[in-house]
């Protein structure tokens, strides 16, 4: 069986020969450090920069470590603003920090040396005028949003060694990136009609692009959403609002996917996602990724007890073990084995591997997982 066939068998609760060793990339700083230490080439580090999942650099790094493939090996379309805003510096400070208007119109404060998400200051999308005059013209459907040359050159399912996913974009995470968390919350209370219109525009664009890609006749092995709409204490949007406004769009898109034979649909959402799980599961999103262990000890086990075999998972390996020792890796693999035996689940470091990870420990993890024996 190919890796592709093994992945699909596992997620469909069918017999398989090998558990794939799955990656979800690294922080930019991680590959820089590994290149400085001589574990990978500077060219591969540079080629991976800015999260180049399944790029040549990523594939070379995965080969050096022992990973089989990156779950984010997807082909997508342009469901963002087209064109984006030009990045504009609005104010600079003596310490080198600055306030900018980013490419999505969000106003943020950047601080030198800080690699986390910039602090939100405000948004260009202040109301209906800005929506209709500055944003809506950039969110019109066009065939130019799909790279047909890229799609037609994808290997056929029979030729593939790894699965290829259809990236669907984002139904709510992109909206958060346009408005910011605070303004997203205020907008629903202040102008529910505009809130609904923005949702329908963004989600409709994701649907139309997915439909156009599927109509090419190219077969995809799974489909994948990106949302990142939770943090460590729960969702950044009301679960009720999420279910009412976003749930129907998940159902419409997953229905389209099912019509084209795609039954594995995953969502990338960081944070504590439990209160959003019902909306996903009830509307056809059946694979959670990356299952962040974090401070809340996320695991597929309690979800499986609650939602049954309809809920699958990719992720849930505690990446913090990579900064410790072999004993920590062995303990983590021991913890994962009964979860793997539940079926419908493939371990993967729970998010991008951070800069304190030791290259040789990631190699050790991959080697142990490549030779993992289940049962008994």
């Amino acid at each position: 069986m190919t890796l592709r066939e093994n992945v699909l068998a596992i997620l469909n609760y069918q017999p398989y020969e090998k558990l794939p060793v799955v990656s979800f990339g690294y922080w930019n700083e991680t590959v820089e450090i590994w290149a400085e230490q001589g574990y990978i080439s500077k060219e591969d580090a540079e080629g991976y920069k800015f999260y180049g999942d399944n790029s040549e650099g990523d594939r070379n790094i995965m080969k050096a470590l022992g990973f089989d493939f990156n779950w984010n090996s997807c082909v997508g379309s342009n469901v963002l603003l087209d064109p984006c805003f030009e990045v504009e510096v609005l104010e600079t400070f003596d310490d080198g920090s600055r306030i900018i208007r980013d490419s999505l119109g969000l106003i943020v404060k950047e601080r030198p040396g800080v690699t986390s998400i910039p602090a939100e200051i405000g948004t260009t999308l202040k109301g209906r005028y800005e929506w209709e005059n500055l944003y809506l013209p950039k969110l019109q459907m066009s065939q130019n949003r799909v790279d047909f040359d890229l799609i037609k050159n994808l290997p056929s399912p029979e030729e593939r060694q790894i699965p290829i996913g259809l990236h669907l974009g984002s139904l709510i995470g992109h909206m958060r990136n346009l408005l910011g968390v605070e303004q997203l919350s205020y907008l629903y209370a202040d102008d529910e009609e505009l809130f609904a219109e923005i949702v329908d525009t963004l989600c409709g664009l994701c649907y139309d692009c997915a439909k156009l890609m599927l109509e090419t006749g190219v077969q995809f092995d799974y489909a994948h959403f990106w949302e990142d709409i939770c943090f460590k204490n729960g969702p950044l949007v009301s679960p009720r609002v999420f279910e009412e406004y976003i749930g129907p769009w998940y159902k419409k898109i997953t229905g389209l996917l099912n019509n084209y034979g795609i039954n594995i649909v995953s969502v990338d959402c960081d944070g504590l996602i439990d209160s959003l799980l019902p909306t996903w599961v009830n509307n056809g999103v059946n694979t959670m990724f990356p299952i962040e262990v974090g401070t809340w000890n996320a695991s597929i086990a309690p979800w499986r007890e609650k939602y049954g075999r309809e809920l699958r998972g990719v992720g849930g390996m505690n990446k913090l073990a990579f900064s410790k020792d072999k004993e920590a890796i062995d303990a983590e693999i021991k913890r994962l084995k009964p979860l793997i035996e539940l079926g419908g689940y493939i371990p993967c470091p729970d998010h991008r591997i951070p800069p304190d990870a030791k290259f040789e420990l990631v190699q050790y993890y991959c080697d142990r997982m490549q030779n993992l024996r289940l049962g008994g």
Side-chain angles (χ1 to χ4, degrees), residues 47-294:
Y48 174 78
K49 276 286 197 65
F50 305 111
Y51 312 115
D53 295 319
N54 202 36
S55 62
E56 182 178 357
D58 185 29
R59 291 192 296 271
N60 289 339
I61 296 168
M62 284 192 290
K63 184 176 180 180
L65 289 166
F67 285 113
D68 288 323
F69 77 100
N70 187 322
W71 182 257
N72 206 28
S73 299
C74 299
V75 176
S77 54
N78 178 10
V79 294
L80 299 171
L81 301 178
D82 186 22
C84 289
F85 292 103
E86 289 189 17
V87 176
E88 182 183 359
V89 178
L90 302 178
E91 190 174 358
T92 58
F93 301 91
D94 293 340
D95 64 355
S97 60
R98 58 183 190 167
I99 295 176
I100 70 166
R101 188 190 317 275
D102 70 13
S103 61
L104 298 180
L106 198 63
I107 300 170
V108 299
K109 186 172 185 178
E110 294 182 336
R111 293 178 172 84
V114 176
T115 58
S116 60
I117 298 172
E120 296 172 359
I121 303 296
T123 178
T124 306
L125 183 45
K126 296 182 181 297
R128 179 163 292 280
Y129 175 85
E130 289 80 8
W131 167 247
E132 292 181 350
N133 291 277
L134 300 179
Y135 286 81
L136 195 55
K138 297 175 181 288
L139 290 167
Q140 299 304 303
M141 181 57 190
S142 163
Q143 294 218 347
N144 293 331
R145 290 183 174 274
V146 174
D147 188 339
F148 292 100
D149 289 335
L150 174 62
I151 293 174
K152 74 179 182 182
N153 287 319
L154 292 174
S156 68
E158 295 75 23
E159 298 171 321
R160 295 173 193 167
Q161 291 301 305
I162 67 171
I164 296 177
L166 169 59
H167 203 295
L168 299 163
S170 172
L171 303 190
I172 186 67
H174 184 203
M175 185 174 178
R176 183 211 66 200
N177 285 347
L178 297 179
L179 287 161
V181 175
E182 184 176 350
Q183 184 60 22
L184 176 66
S185 301
Y186 277 124
L187 182 61
Y188 174 75
D190 293 342
D191 193 338
E192 188 175 350
E193 182 179 345
L194 179 57
F195 180 93
E197 186 176 330
I198 295 174
V199 166
D200 289 344
T201 299
L202 295 174
C203 295
L205 186 57
C206 291
Y207 176 90
D208 290 342
C209 285
K211 185 171 184 289
L212 194 57
M213 295 175 74
L214 291 166
E215 287 175 344
T216 65
V218 173
Q219 293 177 266
F220 295 92
D221 298 306
Y222 65 100
H224 186 57
F225 289 99
W226 171 86
E227 296 299 358
D228 279 7
I229 199 63
C230 297
F231 72 129
K232 69 178 183 178
N233 293 322
L236 298 169
V237 62
S238 159
R240 181 185 62 79
V241 172
F242 186 72
E243 179 180 9
E244 179 180 354
Y245 285 91
I246 312 301
W249 278 105
Y250 281 122
K251 187 171 186 177
K252 183 174 182 178
I253 293 173
T254 58
L256 171 70
L257 298 170
N258 295 163
N259 289 339
Y260 281 87
I262 299 173
N263 74 312
I264 299 298
V265 185
S266 63
V267 59
D268 173 355
C269 188
D270 303 348
L272 185 62
I273 66 173
D274 295 56
S275 60
L276 300 187
L277 279 172
T279 295
W280 282 318
V281 175
N282 293 336
N283 291 286
V285 182
N286 57 16
T287 305
M288 301 302 120
F289 171 86
I291 310 181
E292 287 195 300
V293 177

Side-chain angles (χ1 to χ4, degrees), residues 14-35:
Q14 297 168 354
Y16 63 96
E17 294 176 353
K18 179 188 180 298
L19 181 75
V21 185
V22 180
S23 165
F24 183 34
Y26 336 87
W27 292 23
N28 289 328
E29 294 80 8
T30 306
V31 295
E32 289 175 355
I33 291 170
W34 287 348

Side-chain angles (χ1 to χ4, degrees), residues 317-326 328-330 332 361:
M317 181 271 168
N318 190 346
K319 64 187 178 185
L320 298 181
F322 293 141
S323 66
K324 298 177 183 178
D325 51 34
K326 289 183 178 180
I329 299 293
D330 291 339
E332 181 62 11
L361 284 184

Side-chain angles (χ1 to χ4, degrees), residues 326-339:
K326 289 183 178 180
E327 288 73 21
I329 299 293
D330 291 339
E332 181 62 11
I333 292 174
K334 182 179 180 180
R335 183 186 70 85
L336 290 170
K337 284 182 68 175
L339 302 180

